[in-house]
Amino acid sequence: MHDALRINRQRLINRLERLGEIGALPGGGCCRLALTEEDRQGRELVIGWMHELGLQVSSDAMGNVFGLRPGTEDGPPVMTGSHIDTVRTGGIYDGNLGVLGGLEVIETLNEAGIVTRRPLCVAFFTNEEGARFAPDMMGSLVYVGGMSLEDARATQGIDDQSVGDCLDAIGAGGEAPVGKPDVHAFVEVHIEQGPVLEESGITIGAVEKVQGISWQEFSFTGISNHAGTTPMRLRHDAGHAAMATGAFVRDLVNRIGGDQVGTVGAFDIKPNLVNVVANHARFTVDLRNTDNSRLKQAEQELQAFVERLAEREGIEVEHRTLARFDPVPFDPGMVDRVEAAAQALGHSVMRMPSGAGHDAQMLARVCPTSMIFVPSVDGVSHNINEFTAPEDLEAGTNVLLRVLLDLAE
Ligand code: HGY
Ligand code: MN
Ligand code: MN
């Protein structure tokens, strides 16, 4: 039914580009960190579009926003969506495609005068990126009951402000309660953010699972000293220890091999002066693997390395876990639906894991869930040059249309 229905590519691209203007960076790309003024403006724009499309808009205490389209019957909606917050050097597609692709599906159904049996809902979740406030996927994690609202609101960000204060400052917290969602099924369209689809010459990814994620923060304390007069045997060099740990992470990842990845992304050294042995270093380690036992092995080896290093260098170590999510398998039936919809539309499709975390991995705790990937040019993302070809944006959103219609009938 409605097999000939297709979305409007240009309308989708116009919305992506319009939203990308909020937080636009001089050289291209976008910075809309969670719960900033730019996030508030982005929320306002998308909520305005939701109202224009006739959706019933609500938000919950975590600032997650839902645009509901009633069906001919009541009951739990078929939901789609993603996030509109970005990293500091983000593109205009990461997350935004999942939200605006959902709105494009709604507008296409409105134009065709189609009312589905089940209600449809397009959502965006607060702070998916976790770049300002860890963990990532925080909003959807609270939504499904995986983190208390209190703990989320108390979370301090990298700029020493709390989630609660920032939610309140931009007026994003709504009335709807969190933790007990009622969703029939969830499907999210997202850019792959890696090179697999492009290298395989495939248009659609039917995502089978999300890999495990481990985010840790280490704070090393040594003794600042004169870079010229202090003999090496007397140094307690926090900067050296931090850099040695970063080098260890790369060796560890190469040794484990397979899907193992490791990143030292945030790195801060004090007093950060050419002629002073550093007495403080604070840095993050992001480890991921599709195989949870190998991810645990990586974490254990890193911990043992840091303990030996602290002993040898005579430094103090503080450690925080910023995020820890096991790999999440998606519902096989939902993966089948994505694959079948792509094939019915004549698109090449392959099954694959997700290297990035997504809100879908949280919705998978409460309802059948899967994801639709579209190619990232040069596999680039979290980078101002993030790009997906218009025909691929269109293909992924047509697959979303098809899967949502199947689920809602
Ligand atoms: O880090 C991630 O995987 C996602 O972008 N939050
Ligand atoms: Mn994303
Ligand atoms: Mn991202």
Side-chain angles (χ1 to χ4, degrees), residues 82-83 94-95 128-129 188 190 193 357-358 382:
S82 190
H83 61 96
D94 177 359
E128 186 279 343
E129 291 295 357
E188 177 177 359
H190 203 289
Q193 301 182 284
H358 297 287
H382 284 190

PDB file of all heavy atoms in Angstrom, residues 82-83 94-95 128-129 188 190 193 357-358 382, ligand 2:
ATOM      1  N   SER A  82      15.893  11.392  16.492  1.00  0.00           N
ATOM      2  CA  SER A  82      17.328  11.354  16.780  1.00  0.00           C
ATOM      3  C   SER A  82      17.666  12.576  17.640  1.00  0.00           C
ATOM      4  O   SER A  82      16.932  12.840  18.592  1.00  0.00           O
ATOM      5  CB  SER A  82      18.107  11.356  15.450  1.00  0.00           C
ATOM      6  OG  SER A  82      19.464  11.105  15.649  1.00  0.00           O
ATOM      7  N   HIS A  83      18.698  13.301  17.271  1.00  0.00           N
ATOM      8  CA  HIS A  83      19.123  14.452  18.098  1.00  0.00           C
ATOM      9  C   HIS A  83      19.452  15.653  17.222  1.00  0.00           C
ATOM     10  O   HIS A  83      19.740  15.500  16.037  1.00  0.00           O
ATOM     11  CB  HIS A  83      20.349  14.071  18.929  1.00  0.00           C
ATOM     12  CG  HIS A  83      21.545  13.676  18.116  1.00  0.00           C
ATOM     13  ND1 HIS A  83      22.565  14.554  17.784  1.00  0.00           N
ATOM     14  CD2 HIS A  83      21.884  12.499  17.547  1.00  0.00           C
ATOM     15  CE1 HIS A  83      23.472  13.922  17.063  1.00  0.00           C
ATOM     16  NE2 HIS A  83      23.085  12.674  16.891  1.00  0.00           N
ATOM     17  N   ASP A  94      24.552  14.798  11.138  1.00  0.00           N
ATOM     18  CA  ASP A  94      24.607  13.908  12.304  1.00  0.00           C
ATOM     19  C   ASP A  94      23.439  14.220  13.240  1.00  0.00           C
ATOM     20  O   ASP A  94      23.359  15.310  13.791  1.00  0.00           O
ATOM     21  CB  ASP A  94      25.952  14.132  13.018  1.00  0.00           C
ATOM     22  CG  ASP A  94      26.078  13.315  14.292  1.00  0.00           C
ATOM     23  OD1 ASP A  94      25.131  12.586  14.659  1.00  0.00           O
ATOM     24  OD2 ASP A  94      27.141  13.403  14.941  1.00  0.00           O
ATOM     25  N   GLY A  95      22.523  13.276  13.363  1.00  0.00           N
ATOM     26  CA  GLY A  95      21.344  13.465  14.226  1.00  0.00           C
ATOM     27  C   GLY A  95      20.236  14.228  13.518  1.00  0.00           C
ATOM     28  O   GLY A  95      19.075  13.797  13.477  1.00  0.00           O
ATOM     29  N   GLU A 128      22.462  14.077  22.963  1.00  0.00           N
ATOM     30  CA  GLU A 128      22.892  12.758  22.464  1.00  0.00           C
ATOM     31  C   GLU A 128      24.409  12.711  22.409  1.00  0.00           C
ATOM     32  O   GLU A 128      25.026  11.674  22.673  1.00  0.00           O
ATOM     33  CB  GLU A 128      22.300  12.524  21.072  1.00  0.00           C
ATOM     34  CG  GLU A 128      22.554  11.131  20.523  1.00  0.00           C
ATOM     35  CD  GLU A 128      23.945  10.969  19.901  1.00  0.00           C
ATOM     36  OE1 GLU A 128      24.587  11.998  19.606  1.00  0.00           O
ATOM     37  OE2 GLU A 128      24.387   9.827  19.747  1.00  0.00           O
ATOM     38  N   GLU A 129      25.051  13.823  22.055  1.00  0.00           N
ATOM     39  CA  GLU A 129      26.496  13.761  21.786  1.00  0.00           C
ATOM     40  C   GLU A 129      27.327  13.481  23.027  1.00  0.00           C
ATOM     41  O   GLU A 129      28.370  12.842  22.947  1.00  0.00           O
ATOM     42  CB  GLU A 129      26.962  15.076  21.135  1.00  0.00           C
ATOM     43  CG  GLU A 129      26.456  15.282  19.728  1.00  0.00           C
ATOM     44  CD  GLU A 129      27.009  14.261  18.753  1.00  0.00           C
ATOM     45  OE1 GLU A 129      27.835  13.429  19.150  1.00  0.00           O
ATOM     46  OE2 GLU A 129      26.591  14.275  17.587  1.00  0.00           O
ATOM     47  N   GLU A 188      15.397   4.750  13.400  1.00  0.00           N
ATOM     48  CA  GLU A 188      16.145   6.018  13.267  1.00  0.00           C
ATOM     49  C   GLU A 188      16.982   5.983  11.996  1.00  0.00           C
ATOM     50  O   GLU A 188      17.721   5.011  11.767  1.00  0.00           O
ATOM     51  CB  GLU A 188      17.064   6.177  14.492  1.00  0.00           C
ATOM     52  CG  GLU A 188      17.965   7.396  14.487  1.00  0.00           C
ATOM     53  CD  GLU A 188      18.803   7.560  15.761  1.00  0.00           C
ATOM     54  OE1 GLU A 188      18.675   6.722  16.688  1.00  0.00           O
ATOM     55  OE2 GLU A 188      19.581   8.529  15.833  1.00  0.00           O
ATOM     56  N   HIS A 190      20.129   7.644  10.058  1.00  0.00           N
ATOM     57  CA  HIS A 190      21.325   8.369  10.499  1.00  0.00           C
ATOM     58  C   HIS A 190      22.437   8.196   9.476  1.00  0.00           C
ATOM     59  O   HIS A 190      22.496   7.186   8.770  1.00  0.00           O
ATOM     60  CB  HIS A 190      21.782   7.814  11.862  1.00  0.00           C
ATOM     61  CG  HIS A 190      22.612   8.751  12.681  1.00  0.00           C
ATOM     62  ND1 HIS A 190      23.895   9.083  12.363  1.00  0.00           N
ATOM     63  CD2 HIS A 190      22.328   9.447  13.808  1.00  0.00           C
ATOM     64  CE1 HIS A 190      24.374   9.924  13.267  1.00  0.00           C
ATOM     65  NE2 HIS A 190      23.451  10.177  14.154  1.00  0.00           N
ATOM     66  N   GLN A 193      28.624   7.732   9.342  1.00  0.00           N
ATOM     67  CA  GLN A 193      29.743   8.399  10.023  1.00  0.00           C
ATOM     68  C   GLN A 193      31.050   7.604   9.894  1.00  0.00           C
ATOM     69  O   GLN A 193      32.014   7.883  10.591  1.00  0.00           O
ATOM     70  CB  GLN A 193      29.434   8.652  11.510  1.00  0.00           C
ATOM     71  CG  GLN A 193      28.183   9.514  11.710  1.00  0.00           C
ATOM     72  CD  GLN A 193      27.893   9.809  13.160  1.00  0.00           C
ATOM     73  OE1 GLN A 193      27.409   8.952  13.890  1.00  0.00           O
ATOM     74  NE2 GLN A 193      28.188  11.018  13.589  1.00  0.00           N
ATOM     75  N   GLY A 357      27.568   5.695  18.843  1.00  0.00           N
ATOM     76  CA  GLY A 357      26.411   5.523  19.721  1.00  0.00           C
ATOM     77  C   GLY A 357      25.227   6.296  19.154  1.00  0.00           C
ATOM     78  O   GLY A 357      25.411   7.266  18.428  1.00  0.00           O
ATOM     79  N   HIS A 358      24.029   5.820  19.469  1.00  0.00           N
ATOM     80  CA  HIS A 358      22.821   6.489  18.961  1.00  0.00           C
ATOM     81  C   HIS A 358      21.673   6.361  19.965  1.00  0.00           C
ATOM     82  O   HIS A 358      21.629   5.414  20.764  1.00  0.00           O
ATOM     83  CB  HIS A 358      22.371   5.857  17.635  1.00  0.00           C
ATOM     84  CG  HIS A 358      23.369   6.001  16.543  1.00  0.00           C
ATOM     85  ND1 HIS A 358      23.612   7.198  15.906  1.00  0.00           N
ATOM     86  CD2 HIS A 358      24.208   5.090  15.969  1.00  0.00           C
ATOM     87  CE1 HIS A 358      24.550   7.017  14.991  1.00  0.00           C
ATOM     88  NE2 HIS A 358      24.949   5.758  15.009  1.00  0.00           N
ATOM     89  N   HIS A 382      31.700  14.215  12.645  1.00  0.00           N
ATOM     90  CA  HIS A 382      32.289  14.986  13.762  1.00  0.00           C
ATOM     91  C   HIS A 382      33.410  15.832  13.192  1.00  0.00           C
ATOM     92  O   HIS A 382      34.488  15.950  13.750  1.00  0.00           O
ATOM     93  CB  HIS A 382      32.794  14.056  14.879  1.00  0.00           C
ATOM     94  CG  HIS A 382      31.666  13.497  15.703  1.00  0.00           C
ATOM     95  ND1 HIS A 382      31.851  12.801  16.877  1.00  0.00           N
ATOM     96  CD2 HIS A 382      30.339  13.524  15.520  1.00  0.00           C
ATOM     97  CE1 HIS A 382      30.686  12.434  17.386  1.00  0.00           C
ATOM     98  NE2 HIS A 382      29.753  12.853  16.566  1.00  0.00           N
TER      99      HIS A 382
HETATM  100 MN    MN B   2      24.420  11.140  15.990  1.00  0.00          MN
END
